Amino acid sequence: MVAEDDEKQAELARRYLEREGHTVVVVRDGREALDHLHRAAPDLLVLDVMMPRLDGLDVVRSLRAEGHELPVLMLTARSTEDDLLLGLDLGADDYLTKPYSPRELVARVRTLLRRAARTAPGRAPAPDPVLRVGALTVDPDRHLVTVDGAEVVCTPGEFRILAALAAQPGRVFSRQLLLAELHGFDRFISARTVDVHILNLRKKIEADPRAPARLLTVYGVGYKLTAGAVRG
């Protein structure tokens, strides 16, 4: 559920979250948020602080007083330390300050849902979020890459590309698809930017970057990630 009185902000959040595969209900004020929460059981609440009738701080205060353990991600234009601490002290699980990247919102929601699935009583354990392709691992939650057990330091852009490839090993990604993964991380992005990231990644994950065994070029199409050979 998204509780946001700004129509454009609510629509942007709804569109990005639905694109991720979530079913989204939008409410416009704090009172409506509580009423809906008492009728339904959403998996997570994206909650704006500044709302009419009842603000977001009062909503989360009421939820926690009633014993609800629903994950709450708060959105606010406020950015002072006191405001951030108050929201967290009341029981919010995470905080985003406006203006925020919709892609960051989606990533935070994904992390909170994984955490809730791992800790909810009576639920089966959540799938392991770590992506494994041969001896290469990519851990999105910890922003960690390892090859043969050794940590590899990646820039944000390199990590986004590698995580996308590792999520679907063997699939060929066009440069255009990989550009979409870089949106918001690289100020100036082009097809050449993708090529540079690929070259740098090969230096980090390949035994011989000039003869890659993992991160392969599919000429005329794009790139794919395979299990490859053990780095020696």
Side-chain angles (χ1 to χ4, degrees):
M1 184 168 73
V2 174
E4 166 67 79
D5 65 315
D6 184 300
E7 186 174 347
K8 290 183 178 179
Q9 290 283 334
E11 176 61 20
L12 186 64
R14 183 194 64 77
R15 189 164 67 246
Y16 270 79
L17 289 168
E18 287 185 343
R19 188 181 301 172
E20 184 76 0
H22 303 295
T23 299
V24 181
V25 173
V26 175
V27 297
R28 302 299 185 189
D29 62 64
R31 178 55 59 191
E32 186 182 358
L34 282 180
D35 290 345
H36 186 84
L37 286 165
H38 290 146
R39 295 194 308 268
D43 295 307
L44 182 141
L45 172 61
V46 177
L47 179 65
D48 186 33
V49 170
M50 301 297 291
M51 290 190 298
R53 298 180 68 193
L54 200 66
D55 70 22
L57 295 174
D58 286 332
V59 170
V60 74
R61 183 184 287 113
S62 178
L63 283 175
R64 297 311 186 222
E66 294 172 5
H68 286 284
E69 297 182 358
L70 174 75
V72 176
L73 172 62
M74 299 198 78
L75 307 176
T76 182
R78 299 171 173 175
S79 59
T80 68
E81 185 179 20
D82 287 346
D83 290 325
L84 297 175
L85 292 175
L86 178 57
L88 296 172
D89 285 344
L90 288 173
D93 297 275
D94 203 354
Y95 221 109
L96 270 180
T97 303
K98 296 179 180 180
Y100 59 86
S101 161
R103 292 170 66 87
E104 184 177 4
L105 170 66
V106 169
R108 298 284 189 95
V109 165
R110 186 186 305 125
T111 298
L112 285 176
L113 288 174
R114 283 175 178 160
R115 186 187 306 162
R118 287 196 293 266
T119 59
R123 290 192 183 182
D128 186 353
V130 177
L131 307 171
R132 294 180 173 85
V133 185
L136 170 74
T137 69
V138 180
D139 187 339
D141 288 350
R142 298 168 61 202
H143 202 276
L144 178 67
V145 176
T146 66
V147 178
D148 300 330
E151 183 175 350
V152 175
V153 178
C154 294
T155 67
E158 292 166 1
F159 187 88
R160 293 291 295 185
I161 286 179
L162 193 58
L165 293 166
Q168 299 183 67
R171 176 187 173 183
V172 180
F173 283 74
S174 67
R175 287 177 175 82
Q176 205 60 36
L177 283 174
L178 294 176
L179 278 173
E181 294 298 326
L182 290 174
H183 180 70
F185 286 83
D186 285 272
R187 186 176 176 187
F188 303 105
I189 56 176
S190 65
R192 178 59 181 160
T193 306
V194 172
D195 294 337
V196 170
H197 282 316
I198 293 293
L199 288 174
N200 288 334
L201 281 169
R202 283 175 173 160
K203 294 175 183 177
K204 297 176 180 183
I205 69 171
E206 298 284 1
D208 182 358
R210 294 168 298 179
R214 288 191 173 96
L215 189 43
L216 307 180
T217 300
V218 179
Y219 291 98
V221 184
Y223 300 100
K224 68 178 179 179
L225 186 69
T226 68
V230 176
R231 186 171 64 178

